Amino acid sequence: MRIGVIGTGRIGTIHANTLSRNREVGSLILTDVDPQRALDLAHRLGETAAPGTDEIFRWGVDAVVITAATSAHADLIGRAARSGLPVFCEKPIALDLPGTLQALAEVEKAGTVLQMGFQRRFDKGYAGAREAVRSGRLGRLHTVRALTSDQSPPPPEWLPLSGGLFRDTLIHDFDVLRWVTGHEVVDVYATGSDAGPAMFREAGDVDTAAAVLTLDDGTLATATATRLNGAGYDVRMELAGERDTVVVGLDDRTPVASTEPTGPPPADKPWPGFLERFGPAYEAELCAFVDVVRGQLANPCDGREALQALRIAEACEISRHERRPVALAEIPARPA
């Protein structure tokens, strides 16, 4: 199997390393907007570098992994679909609904595979929470609390390209909320604060956000995020039911400190970022994609799943701007 990797930045490098080690992958063709970066990575891995995206498709590959800039995702997905190629793409499909819906329409028309990069579905902690909910261990689920907190903010020049805190960061919480509970969000009420560094205000974004979400079975969920969590990278989900409560992301590297006299000590080595926290999950999702391409596994996270998470993020943005509850029914689920 030969796989084309489009984009060799931070996450592209990680995915290329994972694929290069996979025994079912015979070779990789790497390309990037910075050709030297792709060439350097290809030399390190013993793989082939291509001067551009055209060569990826012209030289012939069995599948494509897209880790390029977000603005290029939708066009590349469409091109791969028209070429009959299965695709793995980092989230999001696009930063807006029209672009997302158009790309999904191309995949559906071509009848090809699109697996999205929501790596938390491959994390053992979230998988354990899903099992606890689905097995009935928790009883009737009544409350879910999710949070994602970055230790330090991204570069200022990246913020206007990110889509905002709901679409870029909390979209992971929205996706895994659906995956763990098996229920859909029916309405949201969201707000945000830009009281931190001026670069967030200048980008029209917020540095901290919170949302209250109602699920279709009446379960209430909260989701919060911040770019300014100095203690470390903190990702957790707490699920409380009538019988039991479980927590995802609580271990000896969780960057929290108890004020109780008999509480646990603070983490010696708190998580610094998402790549360290979710390293095994990133590897597992790429190995799953290889199995999908081989016909050994059903697609574990198709483009329609990404659309649902984006619709929740869109509803949150409208709620934040208009200061009102927003029903998911207001957000288009198909082309107009």
Side-chain angles (χ1 to χ4, degrees):
M1 180 189 306
R2 181 155 67 168
I3 296 180
V5 179
I6 304 175
T8 57
R10 183 169 55 170
I11 194 66
T13 296
I14 289 173
H15 288 341
N17 273 276
T18 296
L19 293 168
S20 189
R21 295 193 303 268
N22 191 301
R23 69 175 68 184
E24 303 296 338
V25 179
S27 61
L28 302 178
I29 302 177
L30 313 177
T31 192
D32 193 88
V33 292
D34 179 351
Q36 188 61 48
R37 183 164 65 179
L39 186 62
D40 290 344
L41 179 59
H43 283 164
R44 292 199 299 274
L45 297 179
E47 304 288 358
T48 301
T53 302
D54 290 345
E55 285 76 13
I56 291 282
F57 293 97
R58 191 165 63 243
W59 293 355
V61 293
D62 300 299
V64 174
V65 170
I66 299 172
T67 57
T70 297
S71 58
H73 286 187
D75 286 343
L76 290 171
I77 289 170
R79 184 169 184 181
R82 293 189 297 274
S83 299
L85 293 172
V87 174
F88 176 93
C89 184
E90 278 300 324
K91 63 85 187 168
I93 294 173
L95 288 177
D96 60 12
L97 277 169
T100 298
L101 293 170
Q102 176 59 38
L104 289 177
E106 294 230 44
V107 172
E108 184 175 349
K109 180 180 178 180
T112 52
V113 169
L114 170 60
Q115 180 182 330
M116 294 304 300
F118 282 105
Q119 86 285 352
R120 294 188 193 182
R121 292 177 177 228
F122 296 86
D123 177 75
K124 290 183 178 180
Y126 283 104
R130 176 183 164 99
E131 173 59 25
V133 172
R134 304 300 180 90
S135 69
R137 168 185 163 187
L138 305 186
R140 183 186 69 86
L141 189 66
H142 54 74
T143 308
V144 181
R145 305 177 186 92
L147 66 88
T148 297
S149 300
D150 291 328
Q151 183 174 28
S152 55
E157 61 272 14
W158 184 80
L159 285 174
L161 309 175
S162 71
L165 194 55
F166 290 107
R167 297 186 191 95
D168 177 56
T169 299
L170 278 168
I171 197 167
H172 281 288
D173 297 273
F174 301 151
D175 174 71
V176 84
L177 172 65
R178 296 178 58 249
W179 186 74
V180 167
T181 66
H183 290 280
E184 299 293 340
V185 174
V186 294
D187 59 52
V188 308
Y189 188 88
T191 188
S193 170
D194 61 4
M199 64 182 185
F200 293 99
R201 292 185 292 279
E202 292 165 357
D205 197 7
V206 292
D207 58 73
T208 304
V212 177
L213 310 100
T214 305
L215 306 190
D216 57 17
D217 66 340
T219 300
L220 296 180
T222 60
T224 63
T226 184
R227 303 281 197 187
L228 302 164
N229 196 58
Y233 181 71
D234 193 3
V235 172
R236 280 176 281 141
M237 174 181 273
E238 179 181 307
L239 300 107
E242 292 182 342
R243 294 180 184 170
D244 202 357
T245 297
V246 294
V247 181
V248 180
L250 186 60
D251 59 21
D252 60 0
R253 299 192 67 179
T254 305
V256 295
S258 174
T259 60
E260 299 296 334
T262 59
D268 288 334
K269 296 181 178 180
W271 295 110
F274 63 91
L275 294 178
E276 295 82 5
R277 167 65 178 85
F278 289 111
Y282 279 117
E283 181 164 353
E285 69 177 356
L286 262 294
C287 292
F289 177 62
V290 171
D291 288 342
V292 170
V293 175
R294 295 175 61 230
Q296 302 297 309
L297 181 71
N299 190 345
C301 186
D302 67 22
R304 291 167 294 184
E305 300 292 312
L307 171 62
Q308 291 302 97
L310 179 62
R311 291 178 68 231
I312 299 168
E314 290 288 320
C316 287
E317 279 290 3
I318 293 172
S319 178
R320 177 175 77 88
H321 284 289
E322 299 184 5
R323 295 183 175 275
R324 66 175 179 89
V326 175
L328 263 289
E330 297 180 43
I331 310 301
R334 55 184 59 86

